[in-house]
């Protein structure tokens, strides 16, 4: 925020609040959101959880979707795209197992800067070395003068769009797996409960939700229950047709600023 204050000649939070309340500061509001976001991510972040996805969650989904051979995944708060591409690598690493399947992995974020990187599929030497070994790096990325470019094998499964977990769930919903990791930490309990309601509407009745290591549904919501395998994995319960509670976005941003 310091750089934004200096660039805009803003001296304190009260002045910022007045400018945001002016009603004609859309660009400033966008800059504030970008400055507040924590876009820290890397490939296969919390590697043990990706092992559980590969060994438990994806086989379960495959057995349930054997008829349609279609899997739909939503990564909420995808940042610069590493989580989405890590998921794509799980599938691409087993071409015989997933031959003939349609894999659709949607990544959403509110940061236009982060999404620009995600859509480009281009990563620096530092970014590419975080989380993946040399074998995966050479198999799924190509070195270019600008950096390491994700190849079409994994990019073809991925798509990105700007969206917030505070808004309506992505259409048409019914995702087999929803990942919302290290996003809910920034919200107060009422906002968190409202987000869980939206995640529930986006998740298939027999689907899965994965949260971050420091997050849980216990005591937070009755839209999800812990999965038997644990590891921040949850299943929706039969509540997805409840009306969605309203979320006031301005207070939510104010809490982030505080």
């Amino acid at each position: 925020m310091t750089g934004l204050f200096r660039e805009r000649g803003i001296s304190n939070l009260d002045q910022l609040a007045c400018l945001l309340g002016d009603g004609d500061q859309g660009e400033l509001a966008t800059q504030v959101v970008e400055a507040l976001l924590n876009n820290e991510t890397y490939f296969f972040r919390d590697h043990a959880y990706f092992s559980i996805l590969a060994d438990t969650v994806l086989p379960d989904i495959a057995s349930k979707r054997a008829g349609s051979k279609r899997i739909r995944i939503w990564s909420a708060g995808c940042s610069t795209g590493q989580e989405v591409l890590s998921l794509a690598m799980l599938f691409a690493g087993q071409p015989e197992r997933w031959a003939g399947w349609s894999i659709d992995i949607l990544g959403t974020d509110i940061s236009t800067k982060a999404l620009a990187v995600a859509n480009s599929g281009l990563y620096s030497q530092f970014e590419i070395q975080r989380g993946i070994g040399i074998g995966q790096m050479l198999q799924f990325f190509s070195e270019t003068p600008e950096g390491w470019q994700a190849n079409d094998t994994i990019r073809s499964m991925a798509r990105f769009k700007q969206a917030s977990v505070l808004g309506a769930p992505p259409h048409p919903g019914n995702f087999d797996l929803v990942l919302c990791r290290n996003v809910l930490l920034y919200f107060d309990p009422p906002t968190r409960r409202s987000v869980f309601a939206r995640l529930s509407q986006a998740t298939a009745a027999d689907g899965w939700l994965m949260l971050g290591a420091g997050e849980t549904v216990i005591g937070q919501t009755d839209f999800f229950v812990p999965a038997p395998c644990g590891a921040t994995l949850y299943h929706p319960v039969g509540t997805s047709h409840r009306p969605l509670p309203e979320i006031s976005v301005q207070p939510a941003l104010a809490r982030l600023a505080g």
Side-chain angles (χ1 to χ4, degrees):
M1 289 290 284
T2 303
L4 177 60
F5 275 37
R6 187 182 304 113
E7 177 187 340
R8 289 277 187 162
I10 299 172
S11 57
N12 54 57
L13 285 173
D14 289 338
Q15 184 181 359
L16 174 63
C18 289
L19 289 172
L20 290 173
D22 187 34
D24 190 27
Q25 296 289 342
E27 181 182 355
L28 176 60
T30 299
Q31 289 179 317
V32 169
V33 170
E34 295 280 0
L36 290 172
L37 291 173
N38 176 12
N39 288 321
E40 168 69 8
T41 188
Y42 49 90
F43 292 103
F44 294 99
R45 185 177 184 180
D46 300 320
H47 201 280
Y49 292 162
F50 277 90
S51 295
I52 294 173
L53 289 177
D55 297 338
T56 301
V57 177
L58 294 184
D60 175 76
I61 295 172
S63 68
K64 295 172 180 174
R65 304 292 179 261
S68 66
K69 289 189 177 294
R70 178 179 177 86
I71 293 178
R72 302 181 67 245
I73 299 174
W74 174 27
S75 168
C78 69
S79 187
T80 45
Q82 284 93 323
E83 181 171 87
V84 169
L85 294 181
S86 296
L87 290 164
M89 280 186 268
L90 291 182
F91 292 102
Q94 295 182 304
E96 297 86 2
R97 171 67 184 84
W98 300 109
W101 283 74
S102 172
I103 310 297
D104 177 32
I105 309 172
L106 170 65
T108 64
D109 205 279
I110 61 174
S111 170
T112 56
K113 291 181 179 179
L115 289 173
V117 175
N119 276 305
S120 74
L122 188 66
Y123 299 93
S124 68
Q125 184 71 39
F126 172 74
E127 291 169 325
I128 199 68
Q129 290 179 322
R130 297 188 71 193
I132 62 175
I134 186 69
Q136 287 175 311
M137 185 171 68
L138 296 177
Q139 182 179 3
F140 299 118
F141 295 84
S142 300
E143 189 174 15
T144 73
E146 293 76 29
W148 287 83
Q149 177 71 61
N151 65 26
D152 290 342
T153 303
I154 57 176
R155 292 187 73 189
S156 63
M157 304 181 208
R159 57 190 178 95
F160 300 93
K161 64 178 291 186
Q162 187 174 29
S164 167
V165 293
L166 301 179
H171 183 77
N174 289 318
F175 290 95
D176 302 301
L177 169 64
V178 174
L179 296 96
C180 186
R181 303 199 301 156
N182 307 307
V183 175
L184 300 176
L185 295 170
Y186 300 100
F187 300 129
D188 64 12
T191 305
R192 204 174 295 137
R193 285 192 291 271
S194 296
V195 172
F196 276 127
R198 284 156 170 77
L199 296 176
S200 175
Q201 285 211 333
T203 309
D206 57 353
W208 297 75
L209 169 69
M210 174 174 270
L211 300 180
E215 299 167 316
T216 183
V217 306
I218 299 173
Q220 305 286 326
T221 180
D222 59 357
F223 283 88
F224 290 92
V225 295
C229 58
T232 71
L233 284 161
Y234 305 91
H235 292 304
V237 295
T239 52
S240 60
H241 296 296
R242 298 179 192 173
L244 286 177
E246 294 293 328
I247 293 180
S248 178
V249 176
Q250 288 290 352
L253 290 177
R255 284 189 291 272
L256 280 172

